[in-house]
Structure formats: C-alpha cells, structure tokens
Amino acid sequence: MKVGIIGCGAIANLIVNNILATEKNITIEHFYDRDMEKAENLASIANGIAVINIEDLIDNVDLVLEAASPSSVNEYALKVLNKGKSMIIMSVGALMDENFRNEVVETAKKHNAKIYTPSGAILGLDGIKAASIGEIKEAKLTTRKSPRSLGKDVNKEEILFEGKASEAVKKFPFNINVAATLSLACDMDIDVKVIVDPKVDRNVHEVVVTGDFGKFTTRCENLPCASNPKTSMLAAFSAIKLLKHFNETLLSGT
Ligand SMILES: NC(=O)C1=CN([C@@H]2O[C@H](COP(=O)(O)OP(=O)(O)OC[C@H]3O[C@@H](n4cnc5c(N)ncnc54)[C@H](O)[C@@H]3O)[C@@H](O)[C@H]2O)C=CC1
Ligand SMILES: O=C([O-])CC(=O)C(=O)O
C-alpha cells in the first residue's frame, strides 16, 4: 500500500519513523506541507519526494494521511476522495460541520473510498463502537492540559471551556480533535470541558459514557510529542496501528 502524507510535523514524523522500521508492505514516499522545508526533511528520512502540487501526491498513492490542520481537511479532502483515494484524517474537528461532513461522506461513497478517523489521543472508542449498538445516552470529555499545550499563561487551574464539541473544536482547533472523534462515534454533539492546569505536564483526557450497556469511564495521561506539546504521542501511535491493521489478518477489538 502506498501512503502519502499531508502535514509533515510531529505526528507525521512519528508515523514515518515507525512504519519505515517495521512495515515492508507499506511505502510512504510522497509528502506535502505548506512549509516546504518540513516536507523535504521528512522526504529525506523516507527516501521519498516532497511534492509542490497536492495532485502529485494524490495521483501517486492509494491512501492519503492528513496530519496537518482542520483547514487542510477543508482544502484537500474532497480532492482526495474525488479521485477514489481513501483518507485517514487526524484533524477530525473539521468534520463537526455537518454540511461539510455529509459532502465528504457522499463523495467517498460515490468514488468507493473510505474515511478513517483513528482513536487518536483518547481511550474508549472500542467501547463506544460496541455501545452504539444500543442507545448511547450521554458522553462527556474532560481535557486537562498544561499552559504550554494550551498557549496560556496561568499559575492556577482554570476552566477555559464548557459546552458542546462543535464549539470546542472552533475554539481549540489544535487541542480537542478528540471531542470530534468521540462525537462521530457517539453520533451526538458531546459535552466537553477544557481545563488549563499548571500542575500537569501531560495531556489528560477523561471520557464518561452512559447508555443501554451501562456506564464506563476512561482516563489517559498522555506524554506529549517532543516537537509539539499540544499533541499526544498516543495520537500518532493510533494512526500507526490503524495503518498496521490494513496488513493484519487477526484483528482484535471493535
Ligand atoms: N485526532 C487526534 O486525536 C489528534 C489530532 N491532532 C491533530 O493532527 C494534526 C497534526 O498534528 P501535529 O503533527 O501535532 O501538528 P504539527 O503542527 O506538528 O504539524 C502540522 C504540519 O502541517 C502543516 N500544515 C498545516 N496546515 C497545512 C495546510 N493547510 N496545508 C499543508 N500543510 C499544512 C504545518 O506546516 C506543519 O508542518 C493537527 O491538526 C492536530 O490538531 C493532534 C493530536 C491528536
Ligand atoms: O493530542 C491530544 O492530547 C489531543 C489533541 O491535541 C487533539 O485532539 O487535537
């Protein structure tokens, strides 16, 4: 399988280094970034090509992995899907806009392509997918990050946001894509709280879900990526595992 990457930052670097070292059947050779130097750096690690035109990436791969920004999803998703290429989307917040999401899904259907949103930086997507066979009644996400992650200068804990995921992704486009991933899995605009906390140096996400199945709570304390404190390493790991799934025969978990 040939994969092309849009956005050559923290997540893309972890993915490329891992896949290069562990997977013979996945090649990642085409890279695009609005910062050409970033694309060239990653291309040199992978012995690949930094493309200037996005079409040169789309035309030469089977699957496009977006790890750039919500606005990049608005810019490129329809171009990718219109050419029948499947897509892994990390900047899931872009899909909270219902009209855009419907257009993306319809385009993918028309061209027989798939859209994957990995579990990213949170725990519990497996349980939610199973729980969604019954009714999911309530889902809440509480995210706690350091002032450095959230770009705030505070010396005590502060609630920055309480409301719906659709609003959260607009206010924190680079910090709370997980709220969108949860909303898609639950098929509802979930409740979100964002807390800046000078006492933490990890990205902490708590998920509480109730439904016909009962109730579960998950909590993770994620180490951030060295090159981007907003982003948890687990988010990159989840995309790596999804890529590996394409090659696996025995698949565990929903
Ligand atoms: N789904 C999830 O659980 C998570 C999603 N994310 C999201 O994944 C994305 C990537 O994260 P990182 O690798 O940490 O970011 P990063 O900031 O380290 O790298 C992003 C790269 O994309 C490039 N870029 C941004 N917009 C672009 C555009 N319109 N066209 C071309 N290139 C563009 C930037 O120049 C940069 O090199 C972000 O949107 C982030 O918010 C991050 C963590 C968890
Ligand atoms: O990596 C994280 O902890 C979560 C994150 O930035 C996002 O969902 O955008």
Side-chain angles (χ1 to χ4, degrees), residues 11 90-91 120-122 143 145 172-179 181 203-205 222 229-235:
I11 289 181
M90 296 307 296
S91 306
I122 41 153
T143 289
K145 288 189 177 185
F172 306 95
F174 298 106
N175 269 303
I176 200 85
N177 287 286
V178 286
T181 312
N203 297 329
V204 183
H205 302 287
N222 296 333
K230 296 181 181 71
T231 292
S232 303
M233 284 199 295
L234 190 66

Side-chain angles (χ1 to χ4, degrees), residues 6-12 32-35 38 66-72 75-76 89-92 118-122 173-175 177-178 181 225 227-228 230-232 235:
I6 300 176
C8 302
I11 289 181
Y32 179 79
D33 198 297
R34 64 182 172 200
D35 178 343
K38 294 252 182 98
E66 175 281 328
S69 57
S71 62
S72 78
E75 267 175 86
Y76 311 124
I89 293 180
M90 296 307 296
S91 306
V92 193
S119 51
I122 41 153
F174 298 106
N175 269 303
N177 287 286
V178 286
T181 312
C225 292
S227 62
N228 185 355
K230 296 181 181 71
T231 292
S232 303

Side-chain angles (χ1 to χ4, degrees), residues 87-127:
M87 203 170 175
I88 296 178
I89 293 180
M90 296 307 296
S91 306
V92 193
L95 300 178
M96 285 306 286
D97 179 313
E98 202 179 340
N99 289 336
F100 178 66
R101 184 172 70 245
N102 288 342
E103 198 180 354
V104 162
V105 170
E106 286 312 310
T107 306
K109 269 189 196 157
K110 190 170 158 197
H111 297 280
N112 209 19
K114 297 270 185 209
I115 306 150
Y116 302 92
T117 63
S119 51
I122 41 153
L123 310 183
L125 255 285
D126 53 348

Side-chain angles (χ1 to χ4, degrees), residues 121-225:
I122 41 153
L123 310 183
L125 255 285
D126 53 348
I128 290 172
K129 282 161 77 174
S132 71
I133 298 305
E135 189 193 349
I136 295 178
K137 297 199 167 83
E138 203 181 7
K140 278 189 189 165
L141 167 70
T142 303
T143 289
R144 188 178 287 269
K145 288 189 177 185
S146 67
R148 195 167 152 252
S149 282
L150 286 160
K152 294 281 167 190
D153 186 16
V154 293
N155 48 30
K156 63 175 182 25
E157 177 180 326
E158 211 178 284
I159 297 172
L160 295 182
F161 176 85
E162 260 187 298
K164 291 290 174 189
S166 52
E167 285 306 308
V169 297
K170 288 184 200 154
K171 288 208 157 144
F172 306 95
F174 298 106
N175 269 303
I176 200 85
N177 287 286
V178 286
T181 312
L182 283 167
S183 292
L184 292 179
C186 293
D187 196 21
M188 64 167 80
D189 197 359
I190 68 153
D191 295 312
V192 177
K193 192 190 276 192
V194 179
I195 301 167
V196 59
D197 185 349
K199 294 190 298 303
V200 300
D201 56 3
R202 300 189 177 192
N203 297 329
V204 183
H205 302 287
E206 281 179 6
V207 177
V208 182
V209 180
T210 53
D212 287 347
F213 72 98
K215 175 175 178 175
F216 77 69
T217 303
T218 72
R219 175 185 162 92
C220 52
E221 299 179 13
N222 296 333
L223 290 170
C225 292

